[in-house]
Amino acid sequence: MAHPQLSIVIPAYNESARIDEALERVLGCVTEQGWDAEVLVVDDGSKDDTAAIVQRWMNDHPRLHLIQNPGNRGKGYSVRNGLLQAAGDIVMFTDADLSAPMEEANLLFAALNNGADVAIGSRWLDRARQTIHQPLYRQFFGRCFNWITRTVMGLPFKDTQCGFKAFKRPAAQVIFRLQTIERWGFDPEILFIARKLKYVIREVPVTWGHDERSRISYLKDGMKMLEDMARIRGNSLAGRYDRAIAEMKDTSSMVTPPVVKVRAQAGR
C-alpha cells in the first residue's frame, strides 16, 4: 500500500471516556474531506481500556493504528513517538479532546501549501474564534506562561501550547529527533528547534473550545514547564542543539532515537 499523504497523531492517556468520540470525529472528518490519511493513537501507558477501545475501532479501519509507549512517559514523548513513525508527507498531532475541530486542519494545510514548514494552531490570534472560553484563572495563567515563553525563549508566537500543529515530513523528522523534553514543556522546545533550523513557521488562528476535562494543572505543570524552559535555554547555551544538528548533518543516514514502539494489530 502506498504511503498516505497525511498522518494524524493523537496522544492518549486514560482517554476511555472520550476516545470513542474522538475517533468517530477524526475518522468521520477524514472520510468527509476525502483525505488520504492514516490515524495513529499513541497510548501513553493508560491504566484504563483506552488501548482496547482503539483496537476495537481498528477492526473496521485498516488505516487506524495503535502505538503503545513503554509505560507513562508524557505527552511530548507520545507526540514524538507518533510523528517519527508517521508515514505521511504531512504529519500533525491533535489532542484527544479535539478542542480544535478536526476540520480546522485545512487551515494548517493551507499554510504548509503556501510555503511554511511548520503550521501551529493559535487560540489567541483571533479570540472571536473561541467557542467555549477558558475560566478567567486559566486565561490569566495561560497568558502569563505565554509571555514568559516569548521573553525567555525568544518565540514570537501568541500561542505555543495549542495542541494542534502540522509539519512537512522532512521538517518533522529533524525537529523531533532533536527534541529532549518529554512532558508538557515540549511545545516551546520544538518551536525553538524549528526556529534554530530556520524552518518557516506560520501561526494560524483556529476555532477552539475549552474542555473542562483538561488535566493540565497551571500551578504544578506550569512550574514544571518553567523548569523545562530553563533546561532548553541551558541546552542551547551549552551548544547541545548545535552539536546534535552537526552530528545529524555528518551522518549519511539519520537513525531514529531510542523510542520504543509497539504497533498493535486489529483483533489482538
PDB file of all heavy atoms in Angstrom, residues 230-254:
ATOM      1  N   ALA A 230      13.920  26.534  31.270  1.00  0.00           N
ATOM      2  CA  ALA A 230      15.287  26.795  31.740  1.00  0.00           C
ATOM      3  C   ALA A 230      16.241  25.736  31.200  1.00  0.00           C
ATOM      4  O   ALA A 230      17.377  26.039  30.814  1.00  0.00           O
ATOM      5  CB  ALA A 230      15.315  26.805  33.271  1.00  0.00           C
ATOM      6  N   ARG A 231      15.752  24.508  31.128  1.00  0.00           N
ATOM      7  CA  ARG A 231      16.574  23.421  30.591  1.00  0.00           C
ATOM      8  C   ARG A 231      16.860  23.624  29.103  1.00  0.00           C
ATOM      9  O   ARG A 231      17.975  23.404  28.626  1.00  0.00           O
ATOM     10  CB  ARG A 231      15.855  22.091  30.812  1.00  0.00           C
ATOM     11  CG  ARG A 231      16.695  20.862  30.545  1.00  0.00           C
ATOM     12  CD  ARG A 231      15.967  19.641  31.029  1.00  0.00           C
ATOM     13  NE  ARG A 231      16.021  18.578  30.046  1.00  0.00           N
ATOM     14  CZ  ARG A 231      15.126  17.621  29.936  1.00  0.00           C
ATOM     15  NH1 ARG A 231      14.074  17.599  30.726  1.00  0.00           N
ATOM     16  NH2 ARG A 231      15.258  16.676  29.027  1.00  0.00           N
ATOM     17  N   ILE A 232      15.849  24.069  28.368  1.00  0.00           N
ATOM     18  CA  ILE A 232      16.027  24.318  26.933  1.00  0.00           C
ATOM     19  C   ILE A 232      17.059  25.419  26.711  1.00  0.00           C
ATOM     20  O   ILE A 232      17.956  25.292  25.884  1.00  0.00           O
ATOM     21  CB  ILE A 232      14.673  24.696  26.284  1.00  0.00           C
ATOM     22  CG1 ILE A 232      13.708  23.512  26.336  1.00  0.00           C
ATOM     23  CG2 ILE A 232      14.882  25.135  24.829  1.00  0.00           C
ATOM     24  CD1 ILE A 232      12.258  23.901  26.086  1.00  0.00           C
ATOM     25  N   ARG A 233      16.910  26.501  27.484  1.00  0.00           N
ATOM     26  CA  ARG A 233      17.883  27.598  27.352  1.00  0.00           C
ATOM     27  C   ARG A 233      19.281  27.124  27.732  1.00  0.00           C
ATOM     28  O   ARG A 233      20.262  27.475  27.091  1.00  0.00           O
ATOM     29  CB  ARG A 233      17.478  28.768  28.257  1.00  0.00           C
ATOM     30  CG  ARG A 233      16.249  29.519  27.788  1.00  0.00           C
ATOM     31  CD  ARG A 233      16.421  30.168  26.445  1.00  0.00           C
ATOM     32  NE  ARG A 233      17.536  31.093  26.409  1.00  0.00           N
ATOM     33  CZ  ARG A 233      17.955  31.720  25.319  1.00  0.00           C
ATOM     34  NH1 ARG A 233      17.345  31.482  24.161  1.00  0.00           N
ATOM     35  NH2 ARG A 233      18.972  32.541  25.354  1.00  0.00           N
ATOM     36  N   GLY A 234      19.368  26.296  28.771  1.00  0.00           N
ATOM     37  CA  GLY A 234      20.664  25.757  29.170  1.00  0.00           C
ATOM     38  C   GLY A 234      21.268  24.880  28.086  1.00  0.00           C
ATOM     39  O   GLY A 234      22.472  24.978  27.794  1.00  0.00           O
ATOM     40  N   ASN A 235      20.436  24.042  27.480  1.00  0.00           N
ATOM     41  CA  ASN A 235      20.914  23.196  26.385  1.00  0.00           C
ATOM     42  C   ASN A 235      21.434  24.045  25.234  1.00  0.00           C
ATOM     43  O   ASN A 235      22.462  23.740  24.630  1.00  0.00           O
ATOM     44  CB  ASN A 235      19.783  22.298  25.866  1.00  0.00           C
ATOM     45  CG  ASN A 235      19.477  21.144  26.799  1.00  0.00           C
ATOM     46  OD1 ASN A 235      20.291  20.777  27.642  1.00  0.00           O
ATOM     47  ND2 ASN A 235      18.297  20.569  26.652  1.00  0.00           N
ATOM     48  N   SER A 236      20.714  25.124  24.954  1.00  0.00           N
ATOM     49  CA  SER A 236      21.117  25.987  23.842  1.00  0.00           C
ATOM     50  C   SER A 236      22.432  26.701  24.146  1.00  0.00           C
ATOM     51  O   SER A 236      23.341  26.737  23.315  1.00  0.00           O
ATOM     52  CB  SER A 236      20.015  26.999  23.552  1.00  0.00           C
ATOM     53  OG  SER A 236      20.368  27.843  22.479  1.00  0.00           O
ATOM     54  N   LEU A 237      22.519  27.273  25.346  1.00  0.00           N
ATOM     55  CA  LEU A 237      23.736  27.999  25.719  1.00  0.00           C
ATOM     56  C   LEU A 237      24.942  27.071  25.765  1.00  0.00           C
ATOM     57  O   LEU A 237      26.075  27.491  25.467  1.00  0.00           O
ATOM     58  CB  LEU A 237      23.542  28.682  27.080  1.00  0.00           C
ATOM     59  CG  LEU A 237      22.556  29.855  27.094  1.00  0.00           C
ATOM     60  CD1 LEU A 237      22.279  30.318  28.513  1.00  0.00           C
ATOM     61  CD2 LEU A 237      23.085  31.016  26.235  1.00  0.00           C
ATOM     62  N   ALA A 238      24.706  25.802  26.133  1.00  0.00           N
ATOM     63  CA  ALA A 238      25.803  24.836  26.191  1.00  0.00           C
ATOM     64  C   ALA A 238      26.143  24.263  24.815  1.00  0.00           C
ATOM     65  O   ALA A 238      27.087  23.478  24.687  1.00  0.00           O
ATOM     66  CB  ALA A 238      25.445  23.696  27.149  1.00  0.00           C
ATOM     67  N   GLY A 239      25.370  24.646  23.799  1.00  0.00           N
ATOM     68  CA  GLY A 239      25.655  24.201  22.435  1.00  0.00           C
ATOM     69  C   GLY A 239      25.189  22.791  22.122  1.00  0.00           C
ATOM     70  O   GLY A 239      25.586  22.220  21.107  1.00  0.00           O
ATOM     71  N   ARG A 240      24.315  22.233  22.981  1.00  0.00           N
ATOM     72  CA  ARG A 240      23.910  20.841  22.762  1.00  0.00           C
ATOM     73  C   ARG A 240      23.081  20.679  21.484  1.00  0.00           C
ATOM     74  O   ARG A 240      23.245  19.707  20.758  1.00  0.00           O
ATOM     75  CB  ARG A 240      23.135  20.328  23.975  1.00  0.00           C
ATOM     76  CG  ARG A 240      23.988  20.218  25.239  1.00  0.00           C
ATOM     77  CD  ARG A 240      23.263  19.520  26.376  1.00  0.00           C
ATOM     78  NE  ARG A 240      24.113  19.456  27.559  1.00  0.00           N
ATOM     79  CZ  ARG A 240      24.070  20.334  28.555  1.00  0.00           C
ATOM     80  NH1 ARG A 240      23.226  21.347  28.498  1.00  0.00           N
ATOM     81  NH2 ARG A 240      24.879  20.198  29.590  1.00  0.00           N
ATOM     82  N   TYR A 241      22.191  21.629  21.210  1.00  0.00           N
ATOM     83  CA  TYR A 241      21.396  21.529  19.977  1.00  0.00           C
ATOM     84  C   TYR A 241      22.302  21.678  18.760  1.00  0.00           C
ATOM     85  O   TYR A 241      22.160  20.941  17.776  1.00  0.00           O
ATOM     86  CB  TYR A 241      20.300  22.597  19.955  1.00  0.00           C
ATOM     87  CG  TYR A 241      19.245  22.425  21.010  1.00  0.00           C
ATOM     88  CD1 TYR A 241      19.050  23.397  21.984  1.00  0.00           C
ATOM     89  CD2 TYR A 241      18.429  21.291  21.051  1.00  0.00           C
ATOM     90  CE1 TYR A 241      18.076  23.254  22.967  1.00  0.00           C
ATOM     91  CE2 TYR A 241      17.450  21.142  22.017  1.00  0.00           C
ATOM     92  CZ  TYR A 241      17.294  22.126  22.980  1.00  0.00           C
ATOM     93  OH  TYR A 241      16.334  21.978  23.947  1.00  0.00           O
ATOM     94  N   ASP A 242      23.235  22.620  18.812  1.00  0.00           N
ATOM     95  CA  ASP A 242      24.139  22.835  17.681  1.00  0.00           C
ATOM     96  C   ASP A 242      24.977  21.586  17.400  1.00  0.00           C
ATOM     97  O   ASP A 242      25.171  21.205  16.246  1.00  0.00           O
ATOM     98  CB  ASP A 242      25.064  24.026  17.949  1.00  0.00           C
ATOM     99  CG  ASP A 242      24.309  25.354  17.960  1.00  0.00           C
ATOM    100  OD1 ASP A 242      23.286  25.450  17.253  1.00  0.00           O
ATOM    101  OD2 ASP A 242      24.734  26.269  18.671  1.00  0.00           O
ATOM    102  N   ARG A 243      25.451  20.947  18.473  1.00  0.00           N
ATOM    103  CA  ARG A 243      26.244  19.730  18.283  1.00  0.00           C
ATOM    104  C   ARG A 243      25.398  18.607  17.712  1.00  0.00           C
ATOM    105  O   ARG A 243      25.839  17.868  16.820  1.00  0.00           O
ATOM    106  CB  ARG A 243      26.875  19.296  19.613  1.00  0.00           C
ATOM    107  CG  ARG A 243      28.026  20.190  20.068  1.00  0.00           C
ATOM    108  CD  ARG A 243      28.851  19.523  21.155  1.00  0.00           C
ATOM    109  NE  ARG A 243      28.080  19.292  22.362  1.00  0.00           N
ATOM    110  CZ  ARG A 243      27.928  20.191  23.333  1.00  0.00           C
ATOM    111  NH1 ARG A 243      28.482  21.398  23.222  1.00  0.00           N
ATOM    112  NH2 ARG A 243      27.233  19.904  24.415  1.00  0.00           N
ATOM    113  N   ALA A 244      24.162  18.481  18.200  1.00  0.00           N
ATOM    114  CA  ALA A 244      23.279  17.435  17.691  1.00  0.00           C
ATOM    115  C   ALA A 244      22.946  17.664  16.223  1.00  0.00           C
ATOM    116  O   ALA A 244      22.899  16.726  15.424  1.00  0.00           O
ATOM    117  CB  ALA A 244      22.002  17.384  18.525  1.00  0.00           C
ATOM    118  N   ILE A 245      22.728  18.929  15.857  1.00  0.00           N
ATOM    119  CA  ILE A 245      22.438  19.253  14.455  1.00  0.00           C
ATOM    120  C   ILE A 245      23.640  18.930  13.582  1.00  0.00           C
ATOM    121  O   ILE A 245      23.506  18.347  12.497  1.00  0.00           O
ATOM    122  CB  ILE A 245      22.047  20.743  14.321  1.00  0.00           C
ATOM    123  CG1 ILE A 245      20.693  20.994  15.001  1.00  0.00           C
ATOM    124  CG2 ILE A 245      21.998  21.161  12.849  1.00  0.00           C
ATOM    125  CD1 ILE A 245      20.363  22.462  15.186  1.00  0.00           C
ATOM    126  N   ALA A 246      24.832  19.280  14.049  1.00  0.00           N
ATOM    127  CA  ALA A 246      26.052  18.993  13.285  1.00  0.00           C
ATOM    128  C   ALA A 246      26.250  17.491  13.120  1.00  0.00           C
ATOM    129  O   ALA A 246      26.629  17.020  12.037  1.00  0.00           O
ATOM    130  CB  ALA A 246      27.260  19.603  13.994  1.00  0.00           C
ATOM    131  N   GLU A 247      25.961  16.736  14.166  1.00  0.00           N
ATOM    132  CA  GLU A 247      26.097  15.280  14.078  1.00  0.00           C
ATOM    133  C   GLU A 247      25.114  14.701  13.069  1.00  0.00           C
ATOM    134  O   GLU A 247      25.443  13.776  12.324  1.00  0.00           O
ATOM    135  CB  GLU A 247      25.876  14.652  15.453  1.00  0.00           C
ATOM    136  CG  GLU A 247      27.007  14.901  16.438  1.00  0.00           C
ATOM    137  CD  GLU A 247      26.667  14.423  17.836  1.00  0.00           C
ATOM    138  OE1 GLU A 247      25.592  13.783  17.991  1.00  0.00           O
ATOM    139  OE2 GLU A 247      27.459  14.678  18.763  1.00  0.00           O
ATOM    140  N   MET A 248      23.905  15.242  13.044  1.00  0.00           N
ATOM    141  CA  MET A 248      22.904  14.760  12.090  1.00  0.00           C
ATOM    142  C   MET A 248      23.335  15.060  10.659  1.00  0.00           C
ATOM    143  O   MET A 248      23.151  14.246   9.757  1.00  0.00           O
ATOM    144  CB  MET A 248      21.543  15.399  12.377  1.00  0.00           C
ATOM    145  CG  MET A 248      20.911  14.921  13.671  1.00  0.00           C
ATOM    146  SD  MET A 248      19.377  15.788  14.062  1.00  0.00           S
ATOM    147  CE  MET A 248      18.309  15.199  12.751  1.00  0.00           C
ATOM    148  N   LYS A 249      23.928  16.235  10.451  1.00  0.00           N
ATOM    149  CA  LYS A 249      24.385  16.592   9.106  1.00  0.00           C
ATOM    150  C   LYS A 249      25.561  15.735   8.662  1.00  0.00           C
ATOM    151  O   LYS A 249      25.756  15.492   7.473  1.00  0.00           O
ATOM    152  CB  LYS A 249      24.772  18.070   9.067  1.00  0.00           C
ATOM    153  CG  LYS A 249      23.586  19.016   9.169  1.00  0.00           C
ATOM    154  CD  LYS A 249      24.045  20.462   9.145  1.00  0.00           C
ATOM    155  CE  LYS A 249      22.857  21.428   9.197  1.00  0.00           C
ATOM    156  NZ  LYS A 249      23.282  22.842   9.216  1.00  0.00           N
ATOM    157  N   ASP A 250      26.353  15.277   9.649  1.00  0.00           N
ATOM    158  CA  ASP A 250      27.541  14.489   9.320  1.00  0.00           C
ATOM    159  C   ASP A 250      27.232  13.033   9.017  1.00  0.00           C
ATOM    160  O   ASP A 250      28.050  12.330   8.449  1.00  0.00           O
ATOM    161  CB  ASP A 250      28.551  14.547  10.477  1.00  0.00           C
ATOM    162  CG  ASP A 250      29.205  15.909  10.581  1.00  0.00           C
ATOM    163  OD1 ASP A 250      29.157  16.655   9.583  1.00  0.00           O
ATOM    164  OD2 ASP A 250      29.746  16.228  11.661  1.00  0.00           O
ATOM    165  N   THR A 251      26.044  12.572   9.407  1.00  0.00           N
ATOM    166  CA  THR A 251      25.699  11.174   9.166  1.00  0.00           C
ATOM    167  C   THR A 251      24.946  11.048   7.862  1.00  0.00           C
ATOM    168  O   THR A 251      24.078  11.852   7.534  1.00  0.00           O
ATOM    169  CB  THR A 251      24.841  10.618  10.311  1.00  0.00           C
ATOM    170  OG1 THR A 251      23.679  11.445  10.459  1.00  0.00           O
ATOM    171  CG2 THR A 251      25.607  10.604  11.624  1.00  0.00           C
ATOM    172  N   SER A 252      25.254  10.017   7.106  1.00  0.00           N
ATOM    173  CA  SER A 252      24.591   9.818   5.816  1.00  0.00           C
ATOM    174  C   SER A 252      23.165   9.341   5.994  1.00  0.00           C
ATOM    175  O   SER A 252      22.305   9.577   5.155  1.00  0.00           O
ATOM    176  CB  SER A 252      25.362   8.793   4.974  1.00  0.00           C
ATOM    177  OG  SER A 252      25.498   7.575   5.679  1.00  0.00           O
ATOM    178  N   SER A 253      22.905   8.628   7.099  1.00  0.00           N
ATOM    179  CA  SER A 253      21.535   8.191   7.384  1.00  0.00           C
ATOM    180  C   SER A 253      21.239   8.504   8.839  1.00  0.00           C
ATOM    181  O   SER A 253      21.971   8.102   9.728  1.00  0.00           O
ATOM    182  CB  SER A 253      21.371   6.688   7.141  1.00  0.00           C
ATOM    183  OG  SER A 253      22.235   5.953   7.965  1.00  0.00           O
ATOM    184  N   MET A 254      20.152   9.253   9.066  1.00  0.00           N
ATOM    185  CA  MET A 254      19.799   9.651  10.417  1.00  0.00           C
ATOM    186  C   MET A 254      19.008   8.529  11.076  1.00  0.00           C
ATOM    187  O   MET A 254      18.002   8.066  10.529  1.00  0.00           O
ATOM    188  CB  MET A 254      18.979  10.942  10.391  1.00  0.00           C
ATOM    189  CG  MET A 254      19.773  12.136   9.900  1.00  0.00           C
ATOM    190  SD  MET A 254      18.835  13.666   9.947  1.00  0.00           S
ATOM    191  CE  MET A 254      17.586  13.335   8.716  1.00  0.00           C
TER     192      MET A 254
END
